[in-house]
Amino acid sequence: MRGTGNWISALALFVYAAAFSFAYVDLSAGTGALLLFGAVQATMILWGLHKGERLYTIQIAGFVVAVTGLVVLVFPGLSAPPLIGSILMLGAGVAWGIYSLRGKREKNPASVTAGNFVRAVPFAAALSIIFVPWAHVDLAGVSYAIISGAITSGLGYVIWYRALPGLKAASAATVQLSVPVLAAAGGIVLLGEPLTLRYLLASIAILGGIALVVLEKNRAL
C-alpha cells in the first residue's frame, strides 16, 4: 500500500542495518566509514547518471573536495580491511543507497518510515533466531538498541525522506558525507573529545564541498 512503506525498501533497510552491524565487528571506524560512504556515493551517483542527471564542473569539484575531507577526517582510523567485513560494509552502503533512492518518490515520510520499520521486523526476527546460540543480552544493550533504532534512527530517517524529493541523486549522495562530521561533533560536545585542527580542516572541506554541490544545483535551476 503506497504511503505506508513497502517490502523492497524494508528489505534494503534491513540489509543495511544488519550488514553494517556485522561489518563493524571486524572493521575499524575509519575504514568502515570510507567503505560505507564510498558504496553509497557510487550507488546513488551512478543511478543518477543512468537516469540522465548531470553534474556541473563546480559540483564535481565540490564532490572531490568533500570526499578528500572525509579521508582526512577518518585517516587515523584507517587500516587494511578484512575481506568479509569489507564485503558486508560495501553491501550495507549499496543497500542504504537503494533505500535512499526509493525515498525520493515518497510523499509521507513518517508513515513510510514506520511502515518500512514494521516490515523489516520479520527479517530481523529471522536473523536473530539464527544467532540465538551466540546471543548475549543485557538491559543496557537492549535499552541502547531501542533508543538508537526506534527513536534516533527512526526520526533521522523521517527527516532524510522529507529532504530527498528536493535533491538529485548525486546531490543527496554528497550531502550524506556530512554524517561523519556531525558524529565527530557529537563526540566533542557530548563526550568531551578534543577539538583538533584536523577535524576543523576536514569539516570545512566536507561542508564546503557539499555546499558547492547543492548551491550550484539550486543556482542552475
Side-chain angles (χ1 to χ4, degrees), residues 82-162:
L83 179 60
I84 299 300
S86 298
I87 293 173
L88 287 171
M89 190 59 84
L90 290 172
V94 172
W96 181 254
I98 293 172
Y99 187 76
S100 297
L101 288 168
R102 291 183 62 82
K104 286 178 61 60
R105 60 187 181 182
E106 299 294 354
K107 304 301 182 184
N108 193 330
S111 64
V112 167
T113 300
N116 288 336
F117 267 59
V118 170
R119 285 175 169 80
V121 169
F123 301 122
L127 185 64
S128 298
I129 291 172
I130 293 173
F131 283 92
V132 162
W134 299 276
H136 174 71
V137 179
D138 58 54
L139 181 59
V142 172
S143 300
Y144 291 144
I146 293 173
I147 294 172
S148 174
I151 301 176
T152 57
S153 292
L155 180 60
Y157 295 173
V158 170
I159 295 172
W160 180 232
Y161 261 29
R162 173 70 68 182

Side-chain angles (χ1 to χ4, degrees), residues 32-214:
L34 276 184
L35 290 172
L36 175 67
F37 285 99
V40 171
Q41 306 306 304
T43 301
M44 298 187 70
I45 290 176
L46 288 175
W47 178 255
L49 294 175
H50 170 70
K51 299 299 287 185
E53 295 181 7
R54 292 294 179 266
L55 289 174
Y56 297 95
T57 301
I58 191 67
Q59 290 179 300
I60 295 174
F63 175 73
V64 171
V65 169
V67 171
T68 301
L70 173 64
V71 174
V72 171
L73 182 64
V74 304
F75 185 78
L78 297 182
S79 59
L83 179 60
I84 299 300
S86 298
I87 293 173
L88 287 171
M89 190 59 84
L90 290 172
V94 172
W96 181 254
I98 293 172
Y99 187 76
S100 297
L101 288 168
R102 291 183 62 82
K104 286 178 61 60
R105 60 187 181 182
E106 299 294 354
K107 304 301 182 184
N108 193 330
S111 64
V112 167
T113 300
N116 288 336
F117 267 59
V118 170
R119 285 175 169 80
V121 169
F123 301 122
L127 185 64
S128 298
I129 291 172
I130 293 173
F131 283 92
V132 162
W134 299 276
H136 174 71
V137 179
D138 58 54
L139 181 59
V142 172
S143 300
Y144 291 144
I146 293 173
I147 294 172
S148 174
I151 301 176
T152 57
S153 292
L155 180 60
Y157 295 173
V158 170
I159 295 172
W160 180 232
Y161 261 29
R162 173 70 68 182
L164 278 169
L167 296 170
K168 289 185 177 181
S171 298
T174 307
V175 165
Q176 293 182 86
L177 293 175
S178 64
V179 173
V181 174
L182 298 175
I188 293 170
V189 174
L190 301 176
L191 303 178
E193 296 179 354
L195 176 63
T196 64
L197 179 62
R198 177 178 58 82
Y199 169 76
L200 288 175
L201 294 177
S203 298
I204 291 171
I206 292 172
L207 298 179
I210 291 172
L212 288 176
V213 173
V214 176

